Amino acid sequence: MLTEERHATILNCLKEKEVVKIQELTEATGASESTIRRDLTDLEESGLLRRVHGGAAKVSRKRIEPSMGEKSNRFSEEKRAAGRLAASLIEDNDCVFIDAGTTTLALIPYIQAKNIVAVTSGFDHLRLLAEQGIEAYGTGGRLKQSTEALTGTGAVHGLQQYWFDKAFLGVNGIHLKAGYTTPDPEEAAVKTEAIKRAQQPFILADASKFQESTFAHIADLEDAVIITGKIPEKTRRMFEKVTDIKEALS
Amino acid sequence: MLTEERHATILNCLKEKEVVKIQELTEATGASESTIRRDLTDLEESGLLRRVHGGAAKVSRKRIEPSMGEKSNRFSEEKRAAGRLAASLIEDNDCVFIDAGTTTLALIPYIQAKNIVAVTSGFDHLRLLAEQGIEAYGTGGRLKQSTEALTGTGAVHGLQQYWFDKAFLGVNGIHLKAGYTTPDPEEAAVKTEAIKRAQQPFILADASKFQESTFAHIADLEDAVIITGKIPEKTRRMFEKVTDIKEALS
DNA sequence: AAAATAATGATTGAAAATGATTGTTTTTAC
DNA sequence: GTAAAAACAATCATTTTCAATCATTATTTT
């Protein structure tokens, strides 16, 4: 049985059931456990399902289609863990903002909450959210090609139509003195506005961002809660004096 | 067995199955593995199948291409001609609005003018414009999945930040009494706003749209100039009493 | 018929996919 | 809480598939 066939079989199993065990899949496909595990990893990275202990689960209410590239290894383990933790914070009926960037993109497949509304400045994010059957709004603004983000006054202006329960943002630097920073002032303006308009702002970042400082200031450390993969004990102690840290993989 | 015969055989195999292994094809055709591989490469380049490790798979019909391939058959000759004519109207330093929909998508590749700014409510349009190095802005608003358009008050609100030299819109109906119409009221609102904010609004439509009338009113006939492929002499005479018509392929 | 071109099949080392095994992590049972 | 069991990611050797090359065989063209 070909890889593509197995992938199709797996996704078919998930069309009917909410979750499926690995053993069921090895029987359905005749492949070994290792192979099925690899398949699940691939499919998860493509955003087509969600891995759970013991097997895999549906990712969306609506469409399960190969609409994104077959194999994008965009998400590191750390980003996935942080994304998962972040997604678990979204509750039914929430209105959330999701920033552009791969870090926040990783959280979208894990969203389980029902009946939520999402606003995003990310181009890919917008499509991915809509494909999951989530009511998705774009901010508007100029499409910055390098980052695939909608930025500028157009995006800020678009944001001002909304109010959020939660906002999930990526940043480039988290610094004790400089606070949250990013190299692009236009993007910084969008992020700042989003934090302003959210009751609970969250910053998603990996360990490498701590004690880094880039050009444009977004907000002060205490203005948001940090969600991260795993960070050194020392870093954690240093920063948690100033703001909350939610550490996945700890 | 002739090359053409093999190609037909291979495509036939794929009509019944989702994927087919190379070994199956060597048996079905009597050709060597090398030959089959070459066939698959050819057929993939023609867009008739997709190669996968171990064989070939059907092309999913609803696949969205990130950028338009060299020779995509998505656009009819008529749409292309209309798109070309529309694109030729865009001048250097113009600020233009480009509506969502395949008709307007067809004009983007033909844009030659330098230093222009484009605002669009189309999801694919936004990416395509940016890929062409055109400064591209999205309107914002809810992503309507079926049409891949940004709609609703968010989009209208976004539009109100801009003023256009020219606007290019697609419609579903062009009717002497009903004017320009479309089935979706939310999209109609966006189109109406765009026409309001453009010095020169253009409607792109093929012959089938004339004397059709759908639910939601966008604007009156005289509010815009019609760009179309080729339409019957009689239709042309009927409508040019009310508004200008630019006919490509005439 | 001779030469030029195209199609084919075999061979090769490289790349990808696979299944077994390892030790670790998570869950479950107590 | 701990211990056993199940599930896991990581690694390895093996197998399969692959693209590139070459020599051979058809098919044109001259």
Side-chain angles (χ1 to χ4, degrees), chain B residues 136-158:
Chain B
Y137 291 75
T139 56
R142 190 162 68 86
L143 181 62
K144 203 182 138 195
Q145 185 146 23
S146 51
T147 53
E148 308 239 300
L150 296 159
T151 63
T153 57
V156 174
H157 197 250

Side-chain angles (χ1 to χ4, degrees), chain A residues 1 3 6 31-32 34-35 38 53 71:
Chain A
M1 194 178 230
T3 311
R6 278 199 319 276
S32 74
S34 297
T35 302
R38 267 184 284 255
H53 199 93
K71 272 193 226 165

Side-chain angles (χ1 to χ4, degrees), chain A residues 115-126:
Chain A
N115 197 33
I116 68 166
V117 179
V119 179
T120 180
S121 59
F123 188 82
D124 291 333
H125 303 56
L126 187 56

